[in-house]
Amino acid sequence: MVSSAAPQDSSHSPGRPSLLAAEGGPLGVLICGHGSRNRLAVAEFAQLAEALRELVPEVPVAHGYLEFARPILREGLDSLRAQGVRRVLAVPAMLFAAGHAKNDIPSVLNTYAAETGLRIDYGRELGVDLKMIQAAGARIRQALVAADGASPEVARADPGLGAAAPASGEVRPAQRAPVPINETLLVVVGRGSSDPDANSNVAKVTRMLVEGLGFGWGETVYSGVTFPLVEPGLRHAVRLGFRRIVVFPYFLFSGVLVSRIRQHTALVAADHPELEFIDASYLGDHPLVVETFRERLDEVLRGDTQMNCSLCKYRAQVLGFELEVGAPQRSHHHHVEGLSEACTLCDLECTGACQPDGIPLPSPGSPASGPSPDPGHSHDPGHSHDPGHSHDPGHSHDHSHSHGHDHSHDHSHDHGHAPYPQADHPLGPRTLVASNQAQRLRNQAAAGPDPAAGELPPLSTGMGQTRAEANPRPSQLPGSHRD
C-alpha cells in the first residue's frame, strides 16, 4: 500500500503517486522482457528502458530478460539490490496477457523474492489501452503519409505522429494515386498465443483502429501458434476486393517475427501485382508506449492493478481450454536463461536468414531436431513479447481461485504444456508445417529425379483448393513456437 501521509516529491505530476515516498522503499523499477538473439531487438528494448529512466529519474530502473540476452531478470534484480533498493516494481514489457508474464516471469520473481526477502510487486501488461491505440494509429498514419503524401484524412493532429518510426511506409507495387482510407483494408498482425484471451485482445485492437481511422475493413492475423497465420490470412483478405492493404505488426520490437511478416506479405503481394501493399512499422519506443509503462508503475503504487480473471484460461472454463483451469504454472525458460550469443547471420535488422525454409534452426542447448511436434513450443531467436498479466501488489502470482496453487519452480525440462486445441486448423502452424515440408520435397523433385521422395498427395488449404493451386511459389512458414 502507498502511504498517503508521505511527502510528495516535485518530479511527479499532480495525482500521480510518488515513487520516492512509496511505502517499503527505497524503490526500484524492473522492466521484464523476453529476450532475443536478434541484436536490433535487444538494442530497441534497452532503448525503451532508457526512455523510462528519463521519465522516472528519481529511482533506479533496471531491465532483464527471460532468455537469449543479458542481463537476465535475476541480474537486473541484483543490480537494484546493490543500489540499496528494498522494494521493486516489476512491469512486464508485454502487449497482452499470456504465458510469459502469467507463468514465466512470475516464476522467476517469486523464486528470487523467496530467496532474498526482496519485496517485488508485479504490474500488468500494456494491454488494450488508449495510449497504445494512439501509438498504433500514429504508426499506421506514418505509413499512409509516406505512401500517399499528407492528406486531410490521414495527417490530422495526432499525439506522437511525428515520433520517428523504426521502419515504415514500404509500398508494393510502385506508387500510384492515393486510395481513400475507407477503400483500404487494415490487417493487424498479432504475436499469436495459446491463450485465447490474448488473441482476442489483438482483434479488439484491430476493431479500435479500423473504426477510429475509418478503414473500409479490418482483419486480424497472427505470426505463430494460433490461426490464421500471416500468409493464408492475407490470401483470404485479398479476396475481399480492396485495392490497398496496410499490414501493421502490432509488436513492440523488431525480430525474426517482424521480418517474417514482411516476407510473407511480399509473397502475397508478388502474386497480386494489381494490389497495393503498405508495410506499417511496429510500435518501438513511441512516446505514448513509454508513457503507458509509467502508468503501469502508478497502478502498482495505487494498488489498482486489475487482473482479467474472467477470461483467463487458468482460472475460468474458457471454451476449448477447460482442462487448463488450475494447471501448475512453471517457467520453461530455465535451460536457455542467460544464453546471450547474438545472431550474426544478419548485420543488424533480422532478415529471417536463420530460417530459410520457415523452420527455426536449433537454439543453443536445445535438441538439433526438426520442427517440434507441438506447434506451440520452439525457441525462436526473434521470439518476442507476449504479454504480461496483471497482479495486485503483494499478490502471490498464482492462478488458482483459492490462491492455493502456486508456482512449484520445477526446473526440469518436462514442460508439460497442454496441447493447443486448434493446432490442426488448416490455417494454423501444424497444418502448414506438413504443407511446407511437402512443398520442399516437391521443389526437390522438380529440380531432378528423387526416387526416395515418392508421390505426394495434394494438400488442402481449407479454401477449396490445394496449397499448390492457391500458392504455387514456395512459402516460408511462420514460427510455431509457444507464447
Side-chain angles (χ1 to χ4, degrees), residues 446-466:
D450 185 358
E455 184 71 22
L456 290 168
L459 291 164
S460 172
T461 64
M463 293 180 277
Q465 54 191 340
T466 66

mmCIF file with all atom_site columns, all heavy atoms in Angstrom, residues 446-466:
data_model
loop_
_atom_site.group_PDB
_atom_site.id
_atom_site.type_symbol
_atom_site.label_atom_id
_atom_site.label_alt_id
_atom_site.label_comp_id
_atom_site.label_asym_id
_atom_site.label_entity_id
_atom_site.label_seq_id
_atom_site.pdbx_PDB_ins_code
_atom_site.Cartn_x
_atom_site.Cartn_y
_atom_site.Cartn_z
_atom_site.occupancy
_atom_site.B_iso_or_equiv
_atom_site.pdbx_formal_charge
_atom_site.auth_seq_id
_atom_site.auth_comp_id
_atom_site.auth_asym_id
_atom_site.auth_atom_id
_atom_site.pdbx_PDB_model_num
ATOM 1   N N   . ALA A 1 446 ? 11.173  -31.400 -58.438 1.00 0.00 ? 446 ALA A N   1
ATOM 2   C CA  . ALA A 1 446 ? 11.165  -30.601 -59.665 1.00 0.00 ? 446 ALA A CA  1
ATOM 3   C C   . ALA A 1 446 ? 12.582  -30.311 -60.147 1.00 0.00 ? 446 ALA A C   1
ATOM 4   O O   . ALA A 1 446 ? 12.819  -30.142 -61.343 1.00 0.00 ? 446 ALA A O   1
ATOM 5   C CB  . ALA A 1 446 ? 10.410  -29.295 -59.435 1.00 0.00 ? 446 ALA A CB  1
ATOM 6   N N   . ALA A 1 447 ? 13.525  -30.282 -59.202 1.00 0.00 ? 447 ALA A N   1
ATOM 7   C CA  . ALA A 1 447 ? 14.907  -29.990 -59.573 1.00 0.00 ? 447 ALA A CA  1
ATOM 8   C C   . ALA A 1 447 ? 15.600  -31.196 -60.194 1.00 0.00 ? 447 ALA A C   1
ATOM 9   O O   . ALA A 1 447 ? 16.629  -31.058 -60.845 1.00 0.00 ? 447 ALA A O   1
ATOM 10  C CB  . ALA A 1 447 ? 15.683  -29.531 -58.332 1.00 0.00 ? 447 ALA A CB  1
ATOM 11  N N   . GLY A 1 448 ? 15.035  -32.382 -59.992 1.00 0.00 ? 448 GLY A N   1
ATOM 12  C CA  . GLY A 1 448 ? 15.661  -33.577 -60.551 1.00 0.00 ? 448 GLY A CA  1
ATOM 13  C C   . GLY A 1 448 ? 15.025  -34.827 -59.987 1.00 0.00 ? 448 GLY A C   1
ATOM 14  O O   . GLY A 1 448 ? 14.301  -34.768 -58.996 1.00 0.00 ? 448 GLY A O   1
ATOM 15  N N   . PRO A 1 449 ? 15.282  -35.982 -60.598 1.00 0.00 ? 449 PRO A N   1
ATOM 16  C CA  . PRO A 1 449 ? 14.684  -37.234 -60.110 1.00 0.00 ? 449 PRO A CA  1
ATOM 17  C C   . PRO A 1 449 ? 15.132  -37.519 -58.678 1.00 0.00 ? 449 PRO A C   1
ATOM 18  O O   . PRO A 1 449 ? 16.296  -37.345 -58.329 1.00 0.00 ? 449 PRO A O   1
ATOM 19  C CB  . PRO A 1 449 ? 15.225  -38.298 -61.087 1.00 0.00 ? 449 PRO A CB  1
ATOM 20  C CG  . PRO A 1 449 ? 15.663  -37.524 -62.287 1.00 0.00 ? 449 PRO A CG  1
ATOM 21  C CD  . PRO A 1 449 ? 16.119  -36.182 -61.782 1.00 0.00 ? 449 PRO A CD  1
ATOM 22  N N   . ASP A 1 450 ? 14.202  -37.936 -57.870 1.00 0.00 ? 450 ASP A N   1
ATOM 23  C CA  . ASP A 1 450 ? 14.494  -38.288 -56.480 1.00 0.00 ? 450 ASP A CA  1
ATOM 24  C C   . ASP A 1 450 ? 13.607  -39.479 -56.118 1.00 0.00 ? 450 ASP A C   1
ATOM 25  O O   . ASP A 1 450 ? 12.486  -39.303 -55.650 1.00 0.00 ? 450 ASP A O   1
ATOM 26  C CB  . ASP A 1 450 ? 14.210  -37.115 -55.547 1.00 0.00 ? 450 ASP A CB  1
ATOM 27  C CG  . ASP A 1 450 ? 14.616  -37.408 -54.115 1.00 0.00 ? 450 ASP A CG  1
ATOM 28  O OD1 . ASP A 1 450 ? 15.079  -38.540 -53.850 1.00 0.00 ? 450 ASP A OD1 1
ATOM 29  O OD2 . ASP A 1 450 ? 14.465  -36.512 -53.260 1.00 0.00 ? 450 ASP A OD2 1
ATOM 30  N N   . PRO A 1 451 ? 14.091  -40.699 -56.357 1.00 0.00 ? 451 PRO A N   1
ATOM 31  C CA  . PRO A 1 451 ? 13.245  -41.869 -56.125 1.00 0.00 ? 451 PRO A CA  1
ATOM 32  C C   . PRO A 1 451 ? 12.754  -41.977 -54.686 1.00 0.00 ? 451 PRO A C   1
ATOM 33  O O   . PRO A 1 451 ? 11.710  -42.555 -54.430 1.00 0.00 ? 451 PRO A O   1
ATOM 34  C CB  . PRO A 1 451 ? 14.180  -43.048 -56.475 1.00 0.00 ? 451 PRO A CB  1
ATOM 35  C CG  . PRO A 1 451 ? 15.264  -42.448 -57.326 1.00 0.00 ? 451 PRO A CG  1
ATOM 36  C CD  . PRO A 1 451 ? 15.420  -41.040 -56.876 1.00 0.00 ? 451 PRO A CD  1
ATOM 37  N N   . ALA A 1 452 ? 13.508  -41.439 -53.752 1.00 0.00 ? 452 ALA A N   1
ATOM 38  C CA  . ALA A 1 452 ? 13.118  -41.578 -52.343 1.00 0.00 ? 452 ALA A CA  1
ATOM 39  C C   . ALA A 1 452 ? 11.950  -40.684 -51.980 1.00 0.00 ? 452 ALA A C   1
ATOM 40  O O   . ALA A 1 452 ? 11.277  -40.902 -50.980 1.00 0.00 ? 452 ALA A O   1
ATOM 41  C CB  . ALA A 1 452 ? 14.316  -41.247 -51.439 1.00 0.00 ? 452 ALA A CB  1
ATOM 42  N N   . ALA A 1 453 ? 11.700  -39.661 -52.805 1.00 0.00 ? 453 ALA A N   1
ATOM 43  C CA  . ALA A 1 453 ? 10.655  -38.706 -52.433 1.00 0.00 ? 453 ALA A CA  1
ATOM 44  C C   . ALA A 1 453 ? 9.267   -39.301 -52.592 1.00 0.00 ? 453 ALA A C   1
ATOM 45  O O   . ALA A 1 453 ? 8.377   -39.078 -51.785 1.00 0.00 ? 453 ALA A O   1
ATOM 46  C CB  . ALA A 1 453 ? 10.779  -37.433 -53.272 1.00 0.00 ? 453 ALA A CB  1
ATOM 47  N N   . GLY A 1 454 ? 9.061   -40.104 -53.647 1.00 0.00 ? 454 GLY A N   1
ATOM 48  C CA  . GLY A 1 454 ? 7.746   -40.701 -53.852 1.00 0.00 ? 454 GLY A CA  1
ATOM 49  C C   . GLY A 1 454 ? 6.732   -39.686 -54.330 1.00 0.00 ? 454 GLY A C   1
ATOM 50  O O   . GLY A 1 454 ? 7.015   -38.506 -54.526 1.00 0.00 ? 454 GLY A O   1
ATOM 51  N N   . GLU A 1 455 ? 5.512   -40.164 -54.517 1.00 0.00 ? 455 GLU A N   1
ATOM 52  C CA  . GLU A 1 455 ? 4.424   -39.313 -54.978 1.00 0.00 ? 455 GLU A CA  1
ATOM 53  C C   . GLU A 1 455 ? 3.709   -38.730 -53.771 1.00 0.00 ? 455 GLU A C   1
ATOM 54  O O   . GLU A 1 455 ? 3.339   -39.451 -52.846 1.00 0.00 ? 455 GLU A O   1
ATOM 55  C CB  . GLU A 1 455 ? 3.438   -40.136 -55.815 1.00 0.00 ? 455 GLU A CB  1
ATOM 56  C CG  . GLU A 1 455 ? 2.314   -39.304 -56.414 1.00 0.00 ? 455 GLU A CG  1
ATOM 57  C CD  . GLU A 1 455 ? 2.812   -38.397 -57.517 1.00 0.00 ? 455 GLU A CD  1
ATOM 58  O OE1 . GLU A 1 455 ? 3.889   -38.691 -58.090 1.00 0.00 ? 455 GLU A OE1 1
ATOM 59  O OE2 . GLU A 1 455 ? 2.124   -37.397 -57.817 1.00 0.00 ? 455 GLU A OE2 1
ATOM 60  N N   . LEU A 1 456 ? 3.531   -37.431 -53.752 1.00 0.00 ? 456 LEU A N   1
ATOM 61  C CA  . LEU A 1 456 ? 2.892   -36.759 -52.615 1.00 0.00 ? 456 LEU A CA  1
ATOM 62  C C   . LEU A 1 456 ? 1.480   -36.345 -52.979 1.00 0.00 ? 456 LEU A C   1
ATOM 63  O O   . LEU A 1 456 ? 1.255   -35.777 -54.049 1.00 0.00 ? 456 LEU A O   1
ATOM 64  C CB  . LEU A 1 456 ? 3.689   -35.530 -52.203 1.00 0.00 ? 456 LEU A CB  1
ATOM 65  C CG  . LEU A 1 456 ? 5.042   -35.840 -51.562 1.00 0.00 ? 456 LEU A CG  1
ATOM 66  C CD1 . LEU A 1 456 ? 5.858   -34.552 -51.460 1.00 0.00 ? 456 LEU A CD1 1
ATOM 67  C CD2 . LEU A 1 456 ? 4.851   -36.449 -50.188 1.00 0.00 ? 456 LEU A CD2 1
ATOM 68  N N   . PRO A 1 457 ? 0.514   -36.630 -52.121 1.00 0.00 ? 457 PRO A N   1
ATOM 69  C CA  . PRO A 1 457 ? -0.865  -36.232 -52.419 1.00 0.00 ? 457 PRO A CA  1
ATOM 70  C C   . PRO A 1 457 ? -1.028  -34.737 -52.282 1.00 0.00 ? 457 PRO A C   1
ATOM 71  O O   . PRO A 1 457 ? -0.265  -34.076 -51.586 1.00 0.00 ? 457 PRO A O   1
ATOM 72  C CB  . PRO A 1 457 ? -1.670  -36.969 -51.332 1.00 0.00 ? 457 PRO A CB  1
ATOM 73  C CG  . PRO A 1 457 ? -0.712  -37.103 -50.185 1.00 0.00 ? 457 PRO A CG  1
ATOM 74  C CD  . PRO A 1 457 ? 0.637   -37.299 -50.825 1.00 0.00 ? 457 PRO A CD  1
ATOM 75  N N   . PRO A 1 458 ? -2.027  -34.154 -52.938 1.00 0.00 ? 458 PRO A N   1
ATOM 76  C CA  . PRO A 1 458 ? -2.278  -32.726 -52.766 1.00 0.00 ? 458 PRO A CA  1
ATOM 77  C C   . PRO A 1 458 ? -2.709  -32.431 -51.345 1.00 0.00 ? 458 PRO A C   1
ATOM 78  O O   . PRO A 1 458 ? -3.359  -33.254 -50.706 1.00 0.00 ? 458 PRO A O   1
ATOM 79  C CB  . PRO A 1 458 ? -3.407  -32.430 -53.769 1.00 0.00 ? 458 PRO A CB  1
ATOM 80  C CG  . PRO A 1 458 ? -4.056  -33.756 -53.990 1.00 0.00 ? 458 PRO A CG  1
ATOM 81  C CD  . PRO A 1 458 ? -2.978  -34.771 -53.868 1.00 0.00 ? 458 PRO A CD  1
ATOM 82  N N   . LEU A 1 459 ? -2.324  -31.267 -50.851 1.00 0.00 ? 459 LEU A N   1
ATOM 83  C CA  . LEU A 1 459 ? -2.656  -30.862 -49.501 1.00 0.00 ? 459 LEU A CA  1
ATOM 84  C C   . LEU A 1 459 ? -3.672  -29.738 -49.536 1.00 0.00 ? 459 LEU A C   1
ATOM 85  O O   . LEU A 1 459 ? -3.463  -28.735 -50.196 1.00 0.00 ? 459 LEU A O   1
ATOM 86  C CB  . LEU A 1 459 ? -1.397  -30.393 -48.752 1.00 0.00 ? 459 LEU A CB  1
ATOM 87  C CG  . LEU A 1 459 ? -0.415  -31.517 -48.436 1.00 0.00 ? 459 LEU A CG  1
ATOM 88  C CD1 . LEU A 1 459 ? 0.933   -30.942 -48.060 1.00 0.00 ? 459 LEU A CD1 1
ATOM 89  C CD2 . LEU A 1 459 ? -0.940  -32.372 -47.307 1.00 0.00 ? 459 LEU A CD2 1
ATOM 90  N N   . SER A 1 460 ? -4.760  -29.913 -48.822 1.00 0.00 ? 460 SER A N   1
ATOM 91  C CA  . SER A 1 460 ? -5.823  -28.909 -48.819 1.00 0.00 ? 460 SER A CA  1
ATOM 92  C C   . SER A 1 460 ? -5.430  -27.707 -48.003 1.00 0.00 ? 460 SER A C   1
ATOM 93  O O   . SER A 1 460 ? -4.791  -27.823 -46.963 1.00 0.00 ? 460 SER A O   1
ATOM 94  C CB  . SER A 1 460 ? -7.100  -29.513 -48.238 1.00 0.00 ? 460 SER A CB  1
ATOM 95  O OG  . SER A 1 460 ? -8.080  -28.517 -48.069 1.00 0.00 ? 460 SER A OG  1
ATOM 96  N N   . THR A 1 461 ? -5.785  -26.534 -48.455 1.00 0.00 ? 461 THR A N   1
ATOM 97  C CA  . THR A 1 461 ? -5.551  -25.304 -47.714 1.00 0.00 ? 461 THR A CA  1
ATOM 98  C C   . THR A 1 461 ? -6.759  -24.900 -46.908 1.00 0.00 ? 461 THR A C   1
ATOM 99  O O   . THR A 1 461 ? -6.733  -23.889 -46.214 1.00 0.00 ? 461 THR A O   1
ATOM 100 C CB  . THR A 1 461 ? -5.222  -24.143 -48.676 1.00 0.00 ? 461 THR A CB  1
ATOM 101 O OG1 . THR A 1 461 ? -6.371  -23.917 -49.498 1.00 0.00 ? 461 THR A OG1 1
ATOM 102 C CG2 . THR A 1 461 ? -4.027  -24.454 -49.535 1.00 0.00 ? 461 THR A CG2 1
ATOM 103 N N   . GLY A 1 462 ? -7.836  -25.657 -46.999 1.00 0.00 ? 462 GLY A N   1
ATOM 104 C CA  . GLY A 1 462 ? -9.057  -25.256 -46.317 1.00 0.00 ? 462 GLY A CA  1
ATOM 105 C C   . GLY A 1 462 ? -9.819  -24.189 -47.080 1.00 0.00 ? 462 GLY A C   1
ATOM 106 O O   . GLY A 1 462 ? -10.757 -23.601 -46.573 1.00 0.00 ? 462 GLY A O   1
ATOM 107 N N   . MET A 1 463 ? -9.404  -23.903 -48.328 1.00 0.00 ? 463 MET A N   1
ATOM 108 C CA  . MET A 1 463 ? -10.052 -22.861 -49.120 1.00 0.00 ? 463 MET A CA  1
ATOM 109 C C   . MET A 1 463 ? -10.606 -23.435 -50.418 1.00 0.00 ? 463 MET A C   1
ATOM 110 O O   . MET A 1 463 ? -10.761 -22.744 -51.407 1.00 0.00 ? 463 MET A O   1
ATOM 111 C CB  . MET A 1 463 ? -9.056  -21.731 -49.418 1.00 0.00 ? 463 MET A CB  1
ATOM 112 C CG  . MET A 1 463 ? -8.626  -20.958 -48.190 1.00 0.00 ? 463 MET A CG  1
ATOM 113 S SD  . MET A 1 463 ? -7.455  -19.632 -48.569 1.00 0.00 ? 463 MET A SD  1
ATOM 114 C CE  . MET A 1 463 ? -5.927  -20.549 -48.612 1.00 0.00 ? 463 MET A CE  1
ATOM 115 N N   . GLY A 1 464 ? -10.853 -24.772 -50.425 1.00 0.00 ? 464 GLY A N   1
ATOM 116 C CA  . GLY A 1 464 ? -11.438 -25.386 -51.602 1.00 0.00 ? 464 GLY A CA  1
ATOM 117 C C   . GLY A 1 464 ? -10.435 -25.634 -52.709 1.00 0.00 ? 464 GLY A C   1
ATOM 118 O O   . GLY A 1 464 ? -10.804 -25.867 -53.845 1.00 0.00 ? 464 GLY A O   1
ATOM 119 N N   . GLN A 1 465 ? -9.143  -25.587 -52.403 1.00 0.00 ? 465 GLN A N   1
ATOM 120 C CA  . GLN A 1 465 ? -8.120  -25.835 -53.403 1.00 0.00 ? 465 GLN A CA  1
ATOM 121 C C   . GLN A 1 465 ? -6.881  -26.346 -52.687 1.00 0.00 ? 465 GLN A C   1
ATOM 122 O O   . GLN A 1 465 ? -6.753  -26.225 -51.482 1.00 0.00 ? 465 GLN A O   1
ATOM 123 C CB  . GLN A 1 465 ? -7.783  -24.543 -54.158 1.00 0.00 ? 465 GLN A CB  1
ATOM 124 C CG  . GLN A 1 465 ? -7.399  -23.384 -53.237 1.00 0.00 ? 465 GLN A CG  1
ATOM 125 C CD  . GLN A 1 465 ? -7.329  -22.073 -54.002 1.00 0.00 ? 465 GLN A CD  1
ATOM 126 O OE1 . GLN A 1 465 ? -7.205  -22.064 -55.202 1.00 0.00 ? 465 GLN A OE1 1
ATOM 127 N NE2 . GLN A 1 465 ? -7.400  -20.975 -53.300 1.00 0.00 ? 465 GLN A NE2 1
ATOM 128 N N   . THR A 1 466 ? -5.993  -26.988 -53.444 1.00 0.00 ? 466 THR A N   1
ATOM 129 C CA  . THR A 1 466 ? -4.760  -27.432 -52.824 1.00 0.00 ? 466 THR A CA  1
ATOM 130 C C   . THR A 1 466 ? -3.839  -26.243 -52.621 1.00 0.00 ? 466 THR A C   1
ATOM 131 O O   . THR A 1 466 ? -3.990  -25.192 -53.246 1.00 0.00 ? 466 THR A O   1
ATOM 132 C CB  . THR A 1 466 ? -4.042  -28.469 -53.710 1.00 0.00 ? 466 THR A CB  1
ATOM 133 O OG1 . THR A 1 466 ? -3.617  -27.820 -54.907 1.00 0.00 ? 466 THR A OG1 1
ATOM 134 C CG2 . THR A 1 466 ? -4.957  -29.636 -54.039 1.00 0.00 ? 466 THR A CG2 1
#
